[in-house]
Amino acid sequence: MKKLCGVLGLMFLLLIAACGEKGQVMDGDGMIQTFEYTQISQDEAREMMAKDDGHVIVDVRREDEYAEGHIPGAILIPNESIDVDPPKELPDFDQIILVYCRSGRRSKEASQKLADMGYSKVYEFGGIIDWTGDIETGESEPSKDSNDMQDQDALPITEEATDNSNADAENGGDDMGAAKLLYQGHASMRIITAEGKVIYVDPFAGEGYDVPADLILMTHSHYDHTQTDEIATKNPDCETISWVEALSGGQHQNFDLGYVKVEAVEAGYNKNHDVNECVGFILTFSNGVTLYLSGDTSTTPQMNDLAERNLDYAFFCCDGVYNMDVQEAIECAKTVGAKHNIPYHMIPADKTNCFDQSVAESFDVPGRIIVKPGEELVLE
């Protein structure tokens, strides 16, 4: 009888503990249930804001950015403050949460983290730079539960930070604008630079080929990376850099086009992709932001050297059939050490099915961003 009472008591304590996780839902294995966030347009966000449904608008920028101008009614929860524990400002895990930042990058990161914590109704709607509705100024009001976190969440603007900001602007920082990447699916993407130049990479999948091309990049000769006929028109001075030009003379070449610097890097190292006939690319934009595209590959020796580059964004293939699988891609991402890591080329070539959510979610690395076909990523 004593043993039975002890077991029942332990079960009661476990139940209390589970219910005490601020509304987080446990699955059948006792793990916190996670969800996917939903990306919506700003028009859809505006319609949702007009409803009296208890929603909350969350600005995930810095304190100084919020003070300069924010959407009326938005509360401030900086992206960098969203870590392991659920934010005290968001006690209801079933509340509708509308998330935005400056341009759409931090809001995607924050939305993913909130969804991973168990928030079930997270909606991400991009950046305030595209917002056409009302904007108000002023500092954030601390929530009732977060007075003790105010100093921790606010990021003071120090003289050093101001100097760094000015230096960034002089060297092509935010004042230069940011490139926008449209992920089209598989290994295909379209990038529009701050100067308005249009770059297509490995054309094959998805939509968005209607904007005239200024530059076409192709990593190797396989058909699912070379469908240039998908591109509706090309500007008269459009350039093409394929694996042929990138490996001219048997050396990885660099190209400075003014609006972007293109550096060919190693790719291949598996039975389907010869290192002498395949490349990856590192793009450096006019604001200094760097983007690494692995191309079709397995682990390359050069990835160890890339760790010294402090890259901003990195895309890693991970289909596990013709290239490395997710586990190998995770190790590659850890080796390269980019600030933001994105899985792509997750399944063998199929125009009708060029994205796998389960594979994307299993790409468990620091700074992960999941970008679905048709979604944009602002490279800031």
Side-chain angles (χ1 to χ4, degrees):
M1 184 66 180
K2 290 182 179 180
K3 186 177 294 185
L4 177 60
C5 290
V7 171
L8 291 174
L10 179 59
M11 291 176 65
F12 177 76
L13 289 174
L14 290 173
L15 179 62
I16 292 296
C19 293
E21 287 292 327
K22 302 180 182 179
Q24 287 176 307
V25 179
M26 300 295 181
D27 63 19
D29 296 322
M31 303 295 290
I32 295 173
Q33 185 176 348
T34 60
F35 298 88
E36 295 179 24
Y37 74 88
T38 302
Q39 186 177 40
I40 59 174
S41 68
Q42 299 207 342
D43 287 339
E44 290 172 313
R46 190 178 289 106
E47 291 177 4
M48 294 177 72
M49 291 176 191
K51 297 178 180 178
D52 184 15
D53 53 12
H55 67 264
V56 59
I57 308 168
V58 177
D59 187 321
V60 296
R61 297 175 297 159
R62 301 188 309 270
E63 176 80 29
D64 59 302
E65 294 176 288
Y66 179 93
E68 288 175 359
H70 55 268
I71 295 174
I75 65 172
L76 175 66
I77 307 178
N79 177 42
E80 55 269 25
S81 74
I82 304 174
D83 192 9
V84 177
D85 296 325
K88 292 183 178 179
E89 299 89 341
L90 302 174
D92 184 354
F93 281 77
D94 292 319
Q95 184 177 25
I96 294 174
I97 303 172
L98 304 171
V99 185
Y100 75 94
C101 63
R102 187 187 79 87
S103 61
R105 176 182 61 79
R106 284 173 287 179
S107 56
K108 284 184 174 62
E109 288 185 3
S111 296
Q112 186 66 56
K113 288 188 283 188
L114 291 172
D116 288 344
M117 288 179 188
Y119 289 94
S120 62
K121 299 176 182 176
V122 180
Y123 297 87
E124 187 273 331
F125 64 97
I128 198 170
I129 59 174
D130 298 317
W131 183 253
T132 58
D134 294 337
I135 293 177
E136 64 182 15
T137 60
E139 297 182 356
S140 64
E141 291 289 339
S143 69
K144 295 179 181 179
D145 297 324
S146 62
N147 288 329
D148 58 333
M149 296 178 65
Q150 186 174 7
D151 294 336
Q152 182 177 333
D153 288 348
L155 298 179
I157 305 176
T158 63
E159 183 176 344
E160 180 181 356
T162 304
D163 291 342
N164 288 339
S165 176
N166 293 335
D168 286 344
E170 291 172 4
N171 292 301
D174 279 346
D175 286 352
M176 294 295 294
K180 289 187 176 181
L181 184 154
L182 170 68
Y183 180 51
Q184 295 165 297
H186 201 52
S188 306
M189 59 190 71
R190 185 193 74 197
I191 303 168
I192 301 181
T193 71
E195 297 83 359
K197 297 293 186 178
V198 179
I199 305 169
Y200 289 97
V201 182
D202 285 349
F204 169 70
E207 307 293 334
Y209 293 100
D210 54 327
V211 186
D214 294 293
L215 175 63
I216 302 171
L217 302 176
M218 292 181 285
T219 58
H220 64 290
S221 64
H222 291 178
Y223 78 97
D224 55 325
H225 297 258
T226 57
Q227 300 301 302
T228 55
D229 289 344
E230 293 286 340
I231 302 170
T233 56
K234 305 176 182 65
N235 286 321
D237 56 350
C238 178
E239 299 187 53
T240 297
I241 301 175
S242 72
W243 64 98
V244 177
E245 293 79 18
L247 286 168
S248 177
Q251 301 292 324
H252 290 87
Q253 302 296 320
N254 297 329
F255 308 85
D256 189 346
L257 304 179
Y259 56 91
V260 67
K261 294 178 181 178
V262 180
E263 177 184 349
V265 295
E266 288 182 341
Y269 289 96
N270 60 50
K271 66 179 182 180
N272 302 297
H273 300 92
D274 187 339
V275 67
N276 298 307
E277 298 175 353
C278 299
V279 295
F281 290 112
I282 294 177
L283 308 185
T284 303
F285 299 98
S286 55
N287 62 352
V289 170
T290 49
L291 168 67
Y292 168 57
L293 305 172
S294 73
D296 278 25
T297 193
S298 295
T299 306
T300 75
Q302 192 180 14
M303 288 179 180
N304 290 305
D305 299 329
L306 298 184
E308 301 175 2
R309 302 284 296 272
N310 296 317
L311 298 169
D312 294 300
Y313 297 87
F315 279 74
F316 293 92
C317 67
C318 51
D319 62 81
V321 178
Y322 298 106
N323 297 290
M324 58 186 171
D325 61 12
V326 173
Q327 289 306 312
E328 185 176 355
I330 288 172
E331 293 306 313
C332 289
K334 291 178 179 178
T335 297
V336 173
K339 296 176 185 174
H340 309 288
N341 297 288
I342 305 104
Y344 80 143
H345 200 305
M346 288 168 264
I347 53 179
D350 182 353
K351 275 192 173 184
T352 63
N353 180 27
C354 48
F355 180 81
D356 190 317
Q357 182 71 29
S358 62
V359 172
E361 290 177 354
S362 65
F363 183 68
D364 188 10
V365 296
R368 182 190 69 185
I369 301 176
I370 295 177
V371 185
K372 301 174 183 178
E375 291 186 350
E376 278 195 343
L377 180 65
V378 179
L379 305 175
E380 61 176 358

